[in-house]
Amino acid sequence: AAYLLHALTGGDVIDVSGDYVLFGNLEEKKQAVYLIQLTNHTWKKMNIPRKLRNDMEIHLVKTQKKILITNKKRAYLVDVSAL
């Protein structure tokens, strides 16, 4: 799946947590990042601020159906209940 996504978008796997993959091209200024749910084959396009893009990590919060995206300085909590 990661190879196909890379071929289609020129992006890379940024991080993985459980069934979720954060995927995109961090070199491009305006390139979107995608959060992909592997089990259901669903995805969410996300515009993550450039300040957060360096050393990004994702952490699954199963009890709340949310993903924490952080670079250890800033963090965003993303609702993934629809994925």
Side-chain angles (χ1 to χ4, degrees), residues 16-74:
V16 177
S17 181
D19 289 343
Y20 294 88
V21 175
L22 194 61
F23 186 88
N25 185 342
L26 298 180
E27 301 298 320
E28 296 293 324
K29 290 181 181 181
K30 295 185 179 183
Q31 180 72 28
V33 174
Y34 298 89
L35 182 64
I36 303 166
Q37 208 284 350
L38 298 174
T39 302
N40 298 331
H41 304 275
T42 55
W43 57 274
K44 181 175 190 164
K45 181 178 177 180
M46 301 171 46
N47 293 311
I48 297 176
R50 288 195 73 198
K51 294 177 182 179
L52 188 63
R53 290 182 176 211
N54 294 333
D55 301 320
M56 237 185 329
E57 297 176 358
I58 61 173
H59 303 279
L60 181 59
V61 184
K62 290 182 182 180
T63 57
Q64 297 182 12
K65 295 185 180 179
K66 297 185 191 278
I67 290 274
L68 177 70
I69 301 175
T70 181
N71 67 353
K72 298 181 183 162
K73 292 180 182 177
R74 297 172 191 250

